[in-house]
Amino acid sequence: MSRSMLIVLAGLSLALAATGCATSTTRHPVIVSDIGTPATGSDMNASLARPGIVTFQRIRFARWTGGRGTFIDRNDPLTDDVPKGDEEATIYAYVVDHPRFGRILIDTGISADLDTRLTWVMRQGVNNLDIRVEKTMAQWLTGQVVPKAVFLTHLHFDHVGGLLDLPVTTPVYVGSGEAQEQSRANLVLGPSTDAILRGFGPLREWAFQPDASGAFEGVLDVFGDGSVWAIRVPGHSAGSTAYLVNSVDGPKLVTGDAISTRLNWEAGMPQPVTAAARANAWTSADRLRRFAATHPAIEIFLGHQSRTGQREPD
Ligand SMILES: [Zn+2]
């Protein structure tokens, strides 16, 4: 989700937000993750030289059309030369099959039941987005191996909404500080996030340690074998997490909304975030771009668009 989507949703409940205090992204309980070994950017670099052992697949669930100001910061002079217009956005999830640990999902697509968990205010905001669902997580799951775990890039509804179609016994992993981020917008957004997570066990928070190489804030070797890495990239949200997957057909970098569109990645445009989050968002995007530039074999998967020339999933 983008900052302006948050603003639209929050604006619908201005009276509530004006009188209330900041609150957390979710009140759902959080525990420290049981998996993931703290590592460095150098360790992650070294893993790229080894053959991949997991498979990787991107799935497309839904699309919506949003004004460019949803994705780039129109208050930043850097965006002055970008013409007005719309951007096509897509809701994706990613499937990783590990030979020992089984199937995991990165993000969750969307569920037909999402409406039932949204508060009235949030439902109006989401309906205004005119999201065109192509398939739900429940439809995709038909005939598929049930995932053993979900790794989230962050807790916005367009990344967690498909959880409703997964068994509530599925462990859900999230970036550190994501659940606890305080904002007034959460007065509107928080209850719906709580409702989506209802019935699931506590969120398992990645236990990042400072990355001694300085490449990122923190890097985790998720399974301890170099196949999947969680990368701390705060800014779009406090616990935004990217994932590097060393797949059998080459390394794949899932950026989440740390970088959501081609304008943000290829043209280097800043995304609209709060003043307090701006420096983090810029630094995280810069670090991801540098990492990719150093390793041109990595295929990049942006939060809501395909890259120029990249094959769009069916
Ligand atoms: Zn988002």
Side-chain angles (χ1 to χ4, degrees):
M1 185 159 39
S2 65
R3 177 77 194 151
S4 44
M5 281 163 77
L6 289 169
I7 290 167
V8 167
L9 292 166
L12 285 163
S13 166
L14 210 64
L16 176 70
T19 53
C21 298
T23 186
S24 58
T25 300
T26 179
R27 301 171 80 145
H28 201 81
V30 176
I31 57 172
V32 176
S33 167
D34 51 338
I35 55 171
T37 308
T40 67
S42 309
D43 298 330
M44 188 165 67
N45 289 345
S47 79
L48 292 164
R50 301 200 291 271
I53 59 165
V54 300
T55 61
F56 174 92
Q57 195 187 347
R58 179 171 61 156
I59 314 293
R60 189 173 77 195
F61 288 90
R63 303 209 229 197
W64 86 88
T65 309
R68 282 204 176 115
T70 305
F71 301 102
I72 61 173
D73 182 0
R74 285 302 194 182
N75 294 319
D76 190 316
L78 270 178
T79 68
D80 284 354
D81 293 338
V82 181
K84 284 189 178 147
D86 288 336
E87 289 293 315
E88 290 298 312
T90 305
I91 295 177
Y92 300 109
Y94 310 84
V95 187
V96 177
D97 285 304
H98 190 289
R100 284 200 309 284
F101 297 99
R103 171 164 288 186
I104 59 127
L105 288 179
I106 300 174
D107 287 347
T108 64
I110 201 155
S111 163
D113 294 335
L114 182 61
D115 251 19
T116 66
R117 302 293 180 102
L118 300 178
T119 58
W120 183 86
V121 171
M122 185 86 180
R123 205 176 309 135
Q124 308 315 305
V126 170
N127 287 343
N128 282 342
L129 295 175
D130 188 26
I131 295 174
R132 302 171 308 267
V133 177
E134 296 182 357
K135 56 181 163 289
T136 63
M137 178 52 76
Q139 288 167 336
W140 179 77
L141 275 171
T142 307
Q144 292 280 341
V145 174
V146 178
K148 290 224 170 104
V150 168
F151 297 171
L152 293 174
T153 60
H154 62 304
L155 281 170
H156 290 162
F157 82 92
D158 47 337
H159 297 259
V160 298
L163 273 181
L164 296 171
D165 291 348
L166 291 163
V168 291
T169 49
T170 312
V172 181
Y173 295 80
V174 69
S176 46
E178 177 71 7
Q180 304 88 338
E181 182 176 16
Q182 299 284 314
S183 88
R184 281 186 163 190
N186 287 336
L187 285 165
V188 178
L189 304 168
S192 298
T193 310
D194 294 345
I196 291 168
L197 296 170
R198 193 188 308 137
F200 283 86
L203 292 169
R204 296 158 195 239
E205 195 176 72
W206 295 127
F208 288 109
Q209 300 281 327
D211 170 6
S213 79
F216 289 99
E217 274 201 23
V219 168
L220 284 180
D221 182 350
V222 172
F223 297 117
D225 60 4
S227 61
V228 180
W229 299 78
I231 307 169
R232 180 160 163 70
V233 283
H236 177 77
S237 63
S240 277
T241 304
Y243 295 92
L244 175 75
V245 179
N246 276 316
S247 87
V248 291
D249 53 350
K252 318 290 185 190
L253 179 64
V254 174
T255 66
D257 282 353
I259 304 188
S260 54
T261 67
R262 289 182 292 274
L263 280 169
N264 305 118
W265 181 264
E266 294 169 14
M269 294 294 129
Q271 61 170 288
V273 291
T274 61
R278 203 166 290 149
N280 266 345
W282 183 260
T283 301
S284 291
D286 188 52
R287 285 172 157 170
L288 288 168
R289 276 192 217 97
R290 282 169 194 262
F291 176 58
T294 313
H295 305 284
I298 297 176
E299 190 176 5
I300 313 299
F301 293 85
L302 306 178
H304 289 299
Q305 283 182 349
S306 288
R307 291 200 58 194
T308 302
Q310 186 178 42
R311 195 181 74 83
E312 177 77 5
D314 299 328

